[in-house]
Amino acid sequence: MKSISKNTLDEPVQYLKSVGPKRSESFSKIGINSVRDLLYYFPSRHLDRTTVLNAAKAYGYLMNGYDGELTVIGKVYEKEKKRFGKREILKIQFKDSTGFFECVWFRATKYFYSVFNEGDLFAISSKPEKSKYGALQFIHPDFDRISEEEEKSFLHTGKIIPFYRIPKELRSGNIGDLSLRKIISIAVENYADQIDETLPLEIINENKLIGLTEAIRNYHFPESTEKLNSAKRRFKFEELFYLELLVALRKQNYQAKLAGNKMIIRTTLVQNFLQTLPFELTKAQLKVLSEIKNDLTSNKPMNRLLQGDVGSGKTIVSLIAMLIAIDNGFQAAIIAPTEILADQHAKNISAMMKKLYKHFPEREIKVSLLLGGQKKSEREKRLEEIELQEADIIVGTHALFEEKVKYKNLGLVVIDEQHRFGVRQRAKLQSKGKTPEVLVMSATPIPRTISMTIYGDLDISIIDEMPKHRKPIKTVLRGENRLPEIFKFIIDKTHEGYQTFIVYPLVEESEKLELKAAETFYDTLKKTHLKNLRLGLIHGRMSWQEKEERMLLFLKKEFDVLVSTTVIEVGIDIPDANIILINDAHRFGLSQLHQLRGRVGRSDKQAYCVLVTRDEIVRYNIQQRFDLEYLSSSLIEKYKSAIRLQTMIKTNDGFEIAETDLKLRGPGDIFSTKQSGFPDLKYADIVYDADLLNIAKKIAFDLINKDPSLQMESNLVIRNNLIKHYSDNLQYAKIA
Ligand code: ADP
Ligand code: MG
């Protein structure tokens, strides 16, 4: 009977054999309350006999120069604590049937001393080392206790043993490797078959997945390696499928709930504007523009992501979209990530609108800038302009989201985004107009897998072509010892009319020290290598007005060289700045380097990006060809900074760089799913499971297309599971 079996799964773990009140309290500290929770507490890794070596074999591996991790099983033979001055070292000898090996701890020796008891059996996993006396040694290894019984059955029948993470909350509740395995095996034995399937049968069959019960069993206690892999695949699929369902529902909800503005091309405004531009739009710009125009003129609201590399000309495209909105009697807002950028947008757009008015004086387009730091009187005036629709284009930062800002007739919102605007903010802004159309611009290209997930509810337009006549930036890598030559190059180029950015990374934690470091670099350069050039300084401790002042002086060519900490990352246009020298380049992230490089190369002159780093990193780069497809994760980790620099030299293509960055950093680091309102991924990895993501996306979107509110009998499973387990993520995706 279903209702009864449901109840038992939701029973407190306390009632499981060998748990009891004390242990159940420990479980609850790590969020395990019910039997169901326990069934979903999966092993962090597994051990199967094919991956275990005996001590003699492991020693052989070590002597042959093996550089990876390996696992050995042995019995604690002898423990020894040694004191060297203040430091204590713990050394434990282990024994198996073929010989001895030792493990060494330098930290938390007291704790580890208490963990290893003579006669106990452990699986030790780590990179092997050779001790001073030539013995096989592991330093601070991973370890898991196993019982003799487990070892026997393991070795003789080829079973796979699960190892669970045992946080201190469990340890202090007297739950260790052996007891946790026991408790979970009881749970799996008695309850796994009562769990309700969370995927429709059709999807399971079509995708050759295994059922939920079988997957749970095999994730914990796999019958075979194949079964374990099937279990993992099932959970990954399920996770990605539900993620994409939420994406599809959000998109569907947005389009169903809101009717768009159905604009038309009424006058020659846009045409006139195009005539005032000193250049022709690229094919790619025209293509995305027609996609945007389709959205604006249809009655579905636009919700589009415009991607393109730095300098590919997104701003002009968005401005044309704004003009279409204005042509239809609406206001348009553009939101920048920083005040200085908002300010620059406002100035550029005003200048273009003035030019337009001069040539076509039928209609004056008014631009209004709203910033957090404005004087009260100024701000009041802007707010009034916005409320009375005296302003057609409103430029600003987050301040445009505030309650106080009342738009008379907001028809289009352009968000010049750097992954800083979450879905909540987007929704908030959308609530400010009747149904404003939304165009999100991304300065950093977003890898496809990411745009399929956290941006998956947006339609995507890509500008994949740079304006003509623009020469690719020349990027070189140099060791620090070559700085004098580089400075000479900068001086020579200055005489040809070039300007130069010199960037130093923020090394100091404290703002005071940072300021000092920036000033020191600046002073030194001024006194030594660049004493005949005019230098300016810009750093993170300045207010945006100060920064802007300096940038404007640089733009007016009052300086030849601008020394800066990373503040120039935001996109200020300086046409003659065609050299960027990045010091300690190994300290910067890949997309940060690419952003910095994007500051130059905005004219038809040859631009240069000089990456300066430690000599040894330059040497790796000359000797090694790093291919991420074939490198193990530990080598990638080890050579990360060298790989980043090599990528910069190899390519100017922002999308390629974004993909590599994603591989190097992992998705969590770059894109927080939390801020997007989507659940975090526990099982799947967006980089490595991209194929599965593609499949899951297609199935999810087809399904929502056919059954938008999940009413069909066959989709009831999905509906119930969404309500039960994803209620937090449903706020932008109604299924009622
Ligand atoms: P993005 O916002 O994509 O970084 P911008 O819109 O700021 O790029 O454009 C960078 C520069 O290129 C600007 O000075 C802009 O006027 C110019 N630009 C834009 N489109 C073209 C084009 N089709 N041909 C030549 N120059 C262009
Ligand atoms: Mg831009």
Side-chain angles (χ1 to χ4, degrees), residues 230-263:
S230 302
K232 287 183 178 167
R233 183 165 177 273
R234 142 92 209 201
F235 284 107
K236 286 177 180 185
F237 179 90
E238 175 170 345
E239 182 170 56
L240 294 170
F241 172 70
Y242 275 97
L243 173 66
E244 287 299 335
L245 264 182
L246 290 167
V247 171
L249 281 167
R250 190 187 282 182
K251 185 165 184 175
Q252 134 82 29
N253 172 53
Y254 183 78
Q255 298 197 325
K257 198 176 68 191
L258 307 163
N261 290 311
K262 201 165 175 44
M263 300 179 188

Side-chain angles (χ1 to χ4, degrees), residues 277-283 285 308-317 345 348 352 416 441-443 463 466-470 571 573 575 598-599 602:
L277 287 180
F279 49 75
E280 308 240 306
L281 296 183
T282 61
K283 268 207 208 83
Q285 282 172 315
D309 225 331
V310 200
S312 61
K314 295 181 293 293
T315 313
I316 293 286
V317 169
H345 274 320
N348 286 345
M352 285 191 266
D416 190 353
M441 298 198 289
S442 165
I463 304 186
M466 283 293 185
K468 269 183 245 120
H469 312 305
R470 210 167 279 173
D573 254 345
R599 296 302 109 227
R602 298 185 152 230

Side-chain angles (χ1 to χ4, degrees), residues 351-578:
M352 285 191 266
M353 293 304 105
K354 284 219 176 77
K355 191 168 173 195
L356 175 63
Y357 186 57
K358 202 172 124 203
H359 288 85
F360 300 95
E362 296 117 62
R363 171 144 172 36
E364 189 179 359
I365 310 279
K366 295 219 193 74
V367 181
S368 189
L369 174 66
L370 190 73
L371 295 175
Q374 274 164 337
K375 275 201 230 89
K376 192 151 180 259
S377 56
E378 162 115 33
R379 198 176 150 74
E380 306 271 274
K381 192 156 163 257
R382 301 286 160 249
L383 286 173
E384 196 178 306
E385 283 170 4
I386 297 168
E387 196 164 347
L388 298 175
Q389 200 170 359
E390 280 165 14
D392 300 300
I393 295 179
I394 299 113
V395 187
T397 57
H398 295 69
L400 297 190
F401 291 114
E402 283 165 17
E403 293 301 325
K404 279 197 216 105
V405 190
K406 297 202 171 58
Y407 301 87
K408 171 104 177 286
N409 196 9
L410 185 61
L412 169 67
V413 177
V414 176
I415 302 175
D416 190 353
E417 181 191 41
Q418 304 197 321
H419 314 302
R420 288 176 210 189
F421 292 95
V423 62
R424 251 162 276 265
Q425 288 162 307
R426 237 192 285 153
K428 204 160 146 196
L429 224 127
Q430 279 158 5
S431 73
K432 283 197 169 274
K434 263 185 306 212
T435 333
E437 319 273 330
V438 175
L439 182 67
V440 180
M441 298 198 289
S442 165
T444 348
I446 299 165
R448 238 180 71 75
T449 48
I450 300 285
S451 49
M452 274 168 61
T453 51
I454 60 180
Y455 290 101
D457 55 333
L458 304 177
D459 294 310
I460 293 179
S461 288
I462 295 178
I463 304 186
D464 52 7
E465 173 190 10
M466 283 293 185
K468 269 183 245 120
H469 312 305
R470 210 167 279 173
K471 296 194 180 81
I473 301 166
K474 269 194 189 144
T475 303
V476 294
L477 182 66
R478 296 286 181 260
E480 278 155 354
N481 59 344
R482 296 186 58 185
L483 274 170
E485 268 169 72
I486 298 166
F487 288 127
K488 184 165 180 306
F489 174 75
I490 290 172
I491 294 167
D492 291 346
K493 283 286 172 189
T494 304
H495 297 312
E496 290 175 27
Y498 275 59
Q499 289 176 286
T500 303
F501 287 112
I502 298 185
V503 182
Y504 289 94
L506 297 184
V507 229
E508 302 298 346
E509 298 276 315
S510 98
E511 290 180 329
K512 247 197 194 135
L513 288 174
E514 176 208 319
L515 175 62
K516 191 152 177 286
E519 280 173 344
T520 310
F521 294 134
Y522 170 73
D523 285 339
T524 316
L525 280 180
K526 233 165 89 165
K527 281 188 207 128
T528 58
H529 296 289
L530 301 181
K531 61 172 176 276
N532 295 323
L533 301 187
R534 295 163 307 158
L535 269 58
L537 173 66
I538 189 168
H539 58 75
R541 290 283 288 152
M542 292 173 164
S543 70
W544 74 268
Q545 287 98 335
E546 283 177 289
K547 284 184 211 163
E548 189 193 64
E549 218 172 274
R550 296 279 166 97
M551 289 306 286
L552 287 178
L553 290 176
F554 192 45
L555 183 65
K556 285 194 210 138
K557 297 197 97 166
E558 302 278 322
F559 308 131
D560 305 309
V561 172
L562 191 65
V563 177
S564 101
T565 53
T566 54
V567 282
I568 53 157
E569 214 183 310
V570 291
I572 296 134
D573 254 345
I574 312 280
D576 281 335
N578 276 311

Side-chain angles (χ1 to χ4, degrees), residues 255 260-263 289-305 437-439 459 461:
Q255 298 197 325
N261 290 311
K262 201 165 175 44
M263 300 179 188
L289 202 53
S290 85
E291 288 162 353
I292 291 170
K293 215 150 71 184
N294 279 343
D295 287 349
L296 294 177
T297 53
S298 87
N299 49 19
K300 277 191 181 167
M302 172 163 73
N303 211 9
R304 188 171 283 281
L305 175 68
E437 319 273 330
V438 175
L439 182 67
D459 294 310
S461 288

Side-chain angles (χ1 to χ4, degrees), residues 90-105:
L90 171 64
K91 196 190 270 182
I92 299 182
Q93 293 284 340
F94 289 82
K95 181 182 186 316
D96 77 358
S97 60
T98 66
F100 291 89
F101 61 93
E102 63 188 36
C103 296
V104 179
W105 284 268

Side-chain angles (χ1 to χ4, degrees), residues 131-194:
S131 82
K132 215 163 42 182
Y133 306 103
L136 176 62
Q137 190 181 61
F138 300 93
I139 298 168
H140 277 262
D142 286 337
F143 58 89
D144 301 276
R145 198 175 150 212
I146 55 177
S147 67
E148 301 227 7
E149 191 189 327
E150 282 174 329
E151 200 234 352
K152 264 200 205 103
S153 67
F154 171 77
L155 285 179
H156 294 145
T157 66
K159 256 203 216 150
I160 298 172
I161 305 187
F163 289 136
Y164 298 87
R165 225 170 29 83
I166 315 239
K168 60 177 186 310
E169 290 85 352
L170 293 191
R171 281 207 195 281
S172 65
N174 202 16
I175 303 169
D177 303 75
L178 301 185
S179 43
L180 183 59
R181 257 192 315 273
K182 186 89 200 152
I183 293 166
I184 290 182
S185 80
I186 292 169
V188 170
E189 196 81 5
N190 295 295
Y191 295 89
D193 58 351
Q194 292 175 26

